[in-house]
Amino acid sequence: LKDKDIRTRTHAAIALGKLDSAKALQALIAAAVENNNIDAYFRHAVVMGLSTVPAKELLNLSQHKSAAARLVVLLALRRQLHPGISVFLNDSDAFIATEAALAIHDDCSIPAALPALAEALERRDIRGESFWRRAINANFRVGRPVDAQRLAAFVLRQDIPDNMKTTALACLAQWAKPPVLDAVEGRYREITPRSAEPAIAALQSISAALLKTETSKVQTIFVRALYMLKAKSLVALLTDFYSTENASGLLRREVLIAMHQMVHPELGKFVKMGLADRNNDLRSQAIKYASAAGISVYELASQILDSGTVLEKRAALNTLVKTKDKRVDVLLEKLLQKLKSNEIDKHIALDVLQ
């Protein structure tokens, strides 16, 4: 282990791990402390040596005063897929706690330790997406009602950036029908469909606070979660989110979609408000629901195709072909003639053909 040649040190570390000896274990830990994570190749050799040591003996070293020693022990337990690795989620060193999160969550995972990783989301002294994303996803994968509540509470924390809050809300939105691709790694992980009620209850518990304290970006994903979960018991919240001060056009657009999906009784009223809004995206979405507001789709589309923006024209065409008005064929024939003579906006040419 003291040899200057890295190959010699590497083979020595691996060989020591195969000796059923307390002295061999002590020598490996001492080598890790001396290396202090400077040489990553040698550290890996020490880990390979430790990976054959019984997990019980390794766990006895989880409180070692050296962070370098604790790290090699953690990595050895990872190779053994031992659930006792969860003890390192409470480590005072944020780097080691994050490494424990990676070990438990990634690759084939350590399923028995996932609940502990889910609970670690409550730690407030660790900052970093590597840790947060895996702890968030662990709550989603474990899928207990308490995990849904934990994700909701995480959204309201003032020390968390918006992109992490929206990630937690996205997990709640997909709670009932989990996707087969892992959100962190893209690995195939099939999760059995489950009841939406825990996620709906979690969203309801934070709705009032979220409306007052969170940004439009976070509120937008919250509204999306409502209609993805078909949370009809919370449909009354939609008008509050549409009318909230400083609501973005994107948030109001999402509210319109939710109202349409959840058959809100006041959809027509808010469609009219959307049609009069200055936001292009919101107006375009409102055009699609014009009939719900008692507005003639044909007349509205005809007007927009003359003077609207590209987004509005596309929305108008999309809505127009779904109507039963007999005048639609005549209008489409005129658009086709304009297309043939290059008198139409090239940005909607494909939409006209479709």
Side-chain angles (χ1 to χ4, degrees):
L1 289 177
K2 301 289 186 180
D3 200 279
K4 294 181 179 180
D5 182 64
I6 179 61
R7 291 172 297 179
T8 304
R9 293 201 308 274
T10 296
H11 288 298
I14 295 172
L16 277 169
K18 296 181 179 181
L19 301 177
D20 186 12
S21 164
K23 287 185 177 181
L25 176 58
Q26 292 171 5
L28 285 170
I29 296 299
V33 172
E34 184 179 352
N35 180 54
N36 198 27
N37 296 323
I38 295 172
D39 188 329
Y41 293 99
F42 181 61
R43 181 181 65 194
H44 178 64
V46 172
V47 170
M48 293 301 293
L50 292 173
S51 64
T52 57
V53 175
K56 184 177 180 181
E57 295 181 35
L58 293 176
L59 287 170
N60 289 334
L61 298 167
S62 63
Q63 302 300 319
H64 197 285
K65 62 181 181 179
S66 168
R70 298 199 303 276
L71 180 60
V72 292
V73 168
L74 182 161
L75 295 173
L77 287 168
R78 178 178 185 173
R79 297 192 68 84
Q80 296 181 12
L81 299 179
H82 196 281
I85 198 172
S86 60
V87 69
F88 289 99
L89 291 169
N90 300 316
D91 200 280
S92 58
D93 189 310
F95 179 79
I96 290 179
T98 302
E99 280 295 317
L102 268 69
I104 293 167
H105 179 280
D106 292 0
D107 301 324
C108 296
S109 301
I110 305 177
L114 278 173
L117 177 55
E119 292 164 11
L121 187 63
E122 296 174 5
R123 283 194 67 169
R124 291 179 175 262
D125 57 332
I126 299 181
R127 301 193 60 80
E129 288 195 16
S130 292
F131 181 86
W132 283 332
R133 287 190 183 280
R134 286 164 177 81
I136 288 170
N137 207 38
N139 281 276
F140 178 66
R141 289 170 61 185
V142 176
R144 302 166 298 186
V146 67
D147 300 313
Q149 290 291 342
R150 188 179 293 109
L151 287 174
F154 180 79
V155 173
L156 294 182
R157 281 175 51 179
Q158 296 306 301
D159 59 325
I160 302 297
D162 280 359
N163 65 325
M164 289 294 96
K165 294 184 178 188
T166 55
T167 299
L169 284 172
C171 287
L172 290 172
Q174 300 177 97
W175 191 269
K177 297 180 180 180
V180 296
L181 294 183
D182 187 279
V184 177
E185 298 178 276
R187 181 182 289 269
Y188 179 86
R189 299 190 196 278
E190 188 170 357
I191 302 175
T192 305
R194 52 206 176 192
S195 171
E197 289 308 314
I200 293 173
L203 291 175
Q204 185 173 19
S205 69
I206 63 170
S207 58
L210 184 139
L211 185 62
K212 294 178 181 178
T213 63
E214 299 303 327
T215 63
S216 277
K217 180 180 179 180
V218 175
Q219 291 174 354
T220 298
I221 306 304
F222 178 89
V223 170
R224 186 174 298 170
L226 295 184
Y227 70 76
M228 287 181 68
L229 291 168
K230 298 181 174 60
K232 292 188 176 181
S233 59
L234 304 182
V235 71
L237 292 173
L238 296 176
T239 56
D240 294 332
F241 279 95
Y242 191 99
S243 306
T244 187
E245 188 179 1
N246 299 322
S248 68
L250 185 61
L251 170 58
R252 288 176 172 158
R253 175 180 177 274
E254 206 66 33
V255 170
L256 277 189
I257 295 173
M259 286 181 165
H260 181 260
Q261 294 278 351
M262 299 166 73
V263 196
H264 194 284
E266 294 186 280
L267 174 60
K269 170 186 172 183
F270 286 91
V271 166
K272 289 179 180 178
M273 293 167 61
L275 289 170
D277 199 276
R278 292 182 297 176
N279 184 273
N280 195 14
D281 290 324
L282 177 57
R283 289 197 310 274
S284 299
Q285 193 64 45
I287 290 166
K288 297 178 181 179
Y289 305 144
S291 59
I295 297 171
S296 169
V297 174
Y298 174 82
E299 293 176 5
L300 178 63
S302 299
Q303 179 183 349
I304 289 170
L305 288 169
D306 284 334
S307 58
T309 66
V310 171
L311 277 177
E312 290 173 330
K313 289 177 180 178
R314 286 175 175 164
L317 284 166
N318 180 269
T319 307
L320 195 63
V321 296
K322 296 177 182 177
T323 68
K324 297 180 180 179
D325 196 313
K326 295 179 180 179
R327 295 173 291 177
V328 171
D329 288 346
V330 177
L331 179 57
L332 290 177
E333 181 64 31
K334 289 179 179 178
L335 289 173
L336 188 58
Q337 292 303 320
K338 286 185 177 181
L339 182 62
K340 289 178 179 178
S341 58
N342 293 321
E343 297 176 16
I344 201 165
D345 187 340
K346 63 181 180 180
H347 295 101
I348 64 164
L350 181 58
D351 300 88
V352 171
L353 287 170
Q354 290 177 328

